[in-house]
Amino acid sequence: NRLMNEIILELYKQNYAISNLAPFSESFYRRYGYENAIYEKMYELNPAYLRLFKPIKEGKIVRGKWKESN
């Protein structure tokens, strides 16, 4: 309990609006104001279907630092 309160206070001090968890127990984190907002859906398909798609060969990769992107 003390650890969660300390983490939440630190996030508040650093002006974080949200934080994302991979909770072991949703009810535990709900006591601290967290709510599950991300759900995952998995699809399975036959890999043979992918052979029908041609790879796209256009575009470019730009490497650098975020602050240099202006």
Side-chain angles (χ1 to χ4, degrees), residues 15-47:
N15 208 24
Y16 280 87
I18 62 169
S19 60
N20 189 21
L21 301 170
F24 68 93
S25 168
E26 289 184 21
S27 61
F28 173 81
Y29 289 105
R30 195 170 282 131
R31 295 187 311 195
Y32 301 97
Y34 283 91
E35 191 58 53
N36 196 354
I38 299 172
Y39 292 94
E40 181 178 319
K41 190 163 193 166
M42 184 180 295
Y43 296 94
E44 291 185 28
L45 59 102
N46 185 336

Side-chain angles (χ1 to χ4, degrees), residues 3-17:
L3 180 59
M4 284 302 295
N5 286 328
E6 186 176 329
I7 291 169
I8 291 170
L9 182 60
E10 187 63 30
L11 290 170
Y12 178 78
K13 286 179 183 177
Q14 293 185 26
N15 208 24
Y16 280 87

